[in-house]
Amino acid sequence: MILIKSSRLRAVLRWLIPLAAIPLLVAAGVALFPQKQHLLVSLGVAVLALVLFLCGFERRQTGSRRMVLAAVIIALCIAGRFIPLVKPVTALTILAGMYLGGETGFLVGALSAVLSNFYFGQGPWTPFQMLAWGMIGLSAGWLCRPLKKSRLLLAFYGLLTGVAYSLMMDVWTVLWYDSGLRWELYRSAVVAALPHTALYGVSNLLFLWLLAKPVGRKLDRVKLKYGV
Amino acid sequence: MQGFTERNPISVAVYFLAAAGVAMFSMDPVLLAVSLCGAVGLFLLLDGLGSLRSHLWMLGLFLLSAVINPLTYHNGRTVLLVVNHNPITLEACLYGLAAAGMIVATLYWFRSFSRIMTGDRLLYLLGGLSPGLALVISMALRYVPLYGRQWRRVEETQRTLGLYREENAVDTLRGKARVFSAMTTWALENGVITADSMAARGYGTGRRTHFTLFRFRADDILLLVLSLVLAGVSLWGAAGRTVQYYPVFCLSPLTGRALAGYLAYGALVLLPLILQTKEAIAWHFWSWKK
C-alpha cells in the first residue's frame, strides 16, 4: 500500500481484504439485493481469487528478470489486441505459462485483461476476464510438459480454451442480465456470441500454430542466455 | 479547490464503484432511470458532444437488450401479442427495459471511469497491492507505445529492404509474422537488459519508495465519505421497496425510507457535476478578478 507505511499493518490488510472484507460485502449485497445474488457471489469469488493471487505474488521472490519478461509479454498482448479480428492474447498467455511458469502465466493473463481494458472498455466483466485468462495461463503452466511435446495437442488446447473462455463469459453476461442462469437466455447468448466464439477458437489455434515454435525458441534462448 | 476528476484516485474509484454498484445490482426502475441519466450526463460532461457513433452503438445495445427478454421469456399475466405461439408479455418487456437500462448505465459509468483513470492514477490504485505488481504494470504500460514505434520502424526497414510485399494476403501475413518475430526478439532482449540495469542500480536491495502526485486532502476524504454514506443510504432505501416483475409488475407504495434512498442516490449521481461546476465557477471568477 502506498498510503500505509507500516509493513505489519500492510500484511494484516493483505489478508483482511480478501478473506473478510470481500465475503462481508457479498453477504451484505445478497441480503439487500436477493434478485442479483448469483452475480454478487460470482463477482465476489472472482475478486477474491484475484486479490489473493496478486498478493501472493509479492511474497514469493519472483526475481526482477522474470517480472520484466512478464511485463514484455503483457505489453505484447495489449498491443496484439489492436490487431483486427484475430487476437493473440490467449496464445501469448499460454506461451508465457508454458515457458515462464504457471504463475507468470496467470499474471500475464490477468494483467493483460485489466490493462488492455483501459483501451478497449472497462466494465464489470473485467474481474471475470482477468480470472479466465489468468486460469488459462496457470493451467498452461501445469500442462507445460505435454504441451511442449506435441504441437497438435497445443493447437487443440488453444481451440478448447478459446471456446471455454467464450462460454464462460456468456454465463457471466446472462447472470448480469437476469436473476439466475436461465437456459433459453444462455442459449440465445451463446448463439449471439457464436461468431466471437469461433473467432476466439480459430485465432488461438492459428496463433499457437504459428507462434509456438518461434516464440518458444526465443523464450528458451533468453532463459538460457541470461539465466532467468 | 479541485474539480472531480483531479481528486485522489482512490476517492474517485470508490465513487464509481458506489455509483455503478447501486445501478448494477438494483432492479428498481426509479434508481435505474436516475443512474442512466446521471451516467450519460457525466460522460457527456467529460467527453463533450463528440463520439456520436459510440452513443448510437450504445442505443443499439439498449434496444437489443430490451428486446431479448420478452422474446425468450414468456411469463407474465398481461399478454400483448402472440408470435409463433409464444406470448409476448408486458411484464417481460418491462423487465427487459429495466435490465437494458442497468446494462447501459453501468457501461457509461465505466466509460467515464476509464476516461478519468490515466496511467499514473491506475498505477497508484493497483500498485497499492504490491510494489512488484506496480513495477510490472508501469513497465507494461510504458512498453505499449514503445512497441508500436518499434513495430513501425521494423516494418519500414523491411519494406526498404524489399522483404515486405503486400501483393496478396499470404504475403502480407508472412511479412507481418517476420516483423513480429524481429520485434519479439528485440523486446525480450531489451527487457532483460532493463532488468539487469535495474539490478545494477540496486533494485530490490531496499524498501521501495514511490513518487506520486496524489495525497489525501480534506476534499478527497470528504468525497470518499460522501460516496460511501450516500451509497449506503440509497442501498438501505432501495431495500425498503420491493419490486416485483412477475407474474404482475408491482412496486410497493413509496415510503419515506424509499424516498430517502432515491434522494441520496440522486445526490450521489449529481456529485461530480456539482464539483466540476463549482470548480468552473471558481476559475471563472478568479480569472475575472485579475
Side-chain angles (χ1 to χ4, degrees):
Chain A
M1 292 272 169
I2 295 162
L3 303 163
I4 298 155
K5 293 278 192 292
S6 149
S7 62
R8 194 179 297 163
L9 189 62
R10 226 161 45 194
V12 170
L13 273 182
R14 203 170 274 165
W15 287 100
L16 205 66
I17 290 174
L19 291 182
I22 292 170
L24 264 177
L25 268 179
V26 169
V30 169
L32 285 175
F33 300 116
Q35 281 170 324
K36 290 274 170 182
Q37 50 181 326
H38 297 87
L39 180 66
L40 272 162
V41 170
S42 52
L43 199 64
V45 170
V47 174
L48 187 82
L50 287 169
V51 173
L52 263 181
F53 181 86
L54 295 180
C55 290
F57 177 72
E58 181 65 15
R59 291 177 154 254
R60 290 186 198 84
Q61 288 301 311
T62 326
S64 50
R65 274 176 173 173
R66 196 171 289 253
M67 255 159 35
V68 173
L69 286 185
V72 168
I73 299 175
I74 292 167
L76 286 176
C77 285
I78 300 172
R81 271 189 92 180
F82 284 99
I83 299 173
L85 290 177
V86 285
K87 315 283 175 194
V89 183
T90 316
L92 283 173
T93 306
I94 290 172
L95 288 175
M98 275 165 60
Y99 287 92
L100 298 173
E103 275 183 26
T104 318
F106 189 99
L107 193 74
V108 166
L111 286 185
S112 311
V114 64
L115 294 181
S116 65
N117 277 359
F118 274 89
Y119 298 93
F120 295 94
Q122 206 71 257
W125 54 80
T126 306
F128 292 90
Q129 220 175 2
M130 286 172 78
L131 196 64
W133 268 336
M135 287 310 294
I136 290 173
L138 189 66
S139 55
W142 289 336
L143 297 171
C144 71
R145 218 165 273 178
L147 287 182
K148 269 184 200 172
K149 244 176 233 162
S150 160
R151 200 178 176 190
L152 209 63
L153 188 68
L154 182 63
F156 179 69
Y157 180 73
L159 189 71
L160 197 74
T161 47
V163 172
Y165 168 80
S166 190
L167 291 180
M168 197 177 139
M169 293 312 282
D170 289 337
V171 170
W172 145 248
T173 312
V174 172
L175 278 185
W176 189 25
Y177 187 86
D178 211 351
S179 46
L181 192 65
R182 193 146 51 74
W183 175 240
E184 295 89 1
L185 204 57
Y186 182 64
R187 207 172 46 197
S188 50
V190 168
V191 169
L194 208 59
H196 285 280
T197 312
L199 211 56
Y200 277 130
V202 169
S203 64
N204 282 356
L205 192 120
L206 188 79
F207 276 111
L208 279 175
W209 192 260
L210 291 176
L211 294 182
K213 242 187 196 159
V215 172
R217 227 173 42 217
K218 284 178 212 302
L219 283 171
D220 268 341
R221 177 176 157 275
V222 164
K223 269 162 67 181
L224 190 73
K225 184 174 173 188
Y226 296 102
V228 175
Chain B
M1 255 333 243
Q2 294 164 303
F4 173 72
T5 52
E6 294 302 315
R7 291 294 159 90
N8 188 299
I10 293 181
S11 305
V12 175
V14 168
Y15 171 81
F16 275 107
L17 283 183
V22 173
M24 235 178 102
F25 298 119
S26 168
M27 282 312 264
D28 187 319
V30 181
L31 272 188
L32 288 175
V34 171
S35 184
L36 187 61
C37 294
V40 176
L42 178 62
F43 187 73
L44 289 179
L45 182 76
L46 293 173
D47 194 61
L49 286 171
S51 58
L52 186 70
R53 244 173 105 189
S54 74
H55 293 299
L56 283 179
W57 199 85
M58 284 286 193
L59 186 68
L61 184 71
F62 180 85
L63 294 176
L64 183 74
S65 327
V67 161
I68 193 99
N69 193 53
L71 288 184
T72 59
Y73 199 54
H74 307 293
N75 255 356
R77 208 158 280 169
T78 325
V79 178
L80 293 177
L81 65 153
V82 179
V83 179
N84 285 346
H85 306 294
N86 283 323
I88 304 289
T89 64
L90 177 68
E91 287 78 14
C93 286
L94 287 173
Y95 187 90
L97 267 180
M102 181 263 297
I103 285 173
V104 172
T106 319
L107 286 177
Y108 268 104
W109 283 120
F110 275 95
R111 283 181 83 186
S112 303
F113 178 69
S114 300
R115 257 198 95 77
I116 293 177
M117 284 297 141
T118 48
D120 52 336
R121 293 183 169 86
L122 178 68
L123 197 61
Y124 177 79
L125 271 183
L126 291 179
L129 281 175
S130 85
L133 202 62
L135 180 79
V136 175
I137 293 168
S138 73
M139 293 189 89
L141 285 177
R142 185 261 176 282
Y143 282 151
V144 174
L146 182 74
Y147 291 173
R149 277 203 297 279
Q150 184 70 13
W151 176 280
R152 274 193 297 280
R153 211 173 289 158
V154 176
E155 202 179 59
E156 276 161 18
T157 311
Q158 299 243 328
R159 198 165 277 156
T160 320
L161 288 171
L163 285 170
Y164 197 99
R165 282 179 304 175
E166 282 170 322
E167 278 152 21
N168 53 47
V170 178
D171 270 352
T172 314
L173 198 68
R174 240 183 232 155
K176 285 211 189 320
R178 204 182 295 121
V179 176
F180 179 79
S181 165
M183 213 195 61
T184 312
T185 309
W186 174 84
L188 289 172
E189 296 246 343
N190 183 57
V192 174
I193 291 168
T194 311
D196 280 352
S197 163
M198 279 160 52
R201 283 175 289 161
Y203 173 78
T205 48
R207 212 176 68 87
R208 261 175 66 76
T209 55
H210 298 262
F211 170 73
T212 172
L213 285 172
F214 304 107
R215 275 196 218 138
F216 258 108
R217 297 193 175 82
D219 294 343
D220 302 320
I221 295 169
L222 190 69
L223 177 62
L224 188 71
V225 172
L226 261 182
S227 313
L228 289 176
V229 169
L230 287 176
V233 173
S234 39
L235 289 183
W236 171 75
R241 196 175 199 202
T242 47
V243 187
Q244 185 200 333
Y245 282 89
Y246 304 112
V248 185
F249 180 74
C250 165
L251 265 173
S252 65
L254 186 66
T255 55
R257 182 178 162 188
L259 191 66
Y262 291 153
L263 288 178
Y265 192 62
L268 183 69
V269 160
L270 284 177
L271 209 56
L273 187 72
I274 294 167
L275 289 174
Q276 292 284 60
T277 318
K278 202 172 143 200
E279 166 83 356
I281 291 173
W283 179 249
H284 178 76
F285 278 103
W286 186 80
S287 50
W288 182 57
K289 249 189 276 177
K290 264 185 128 179

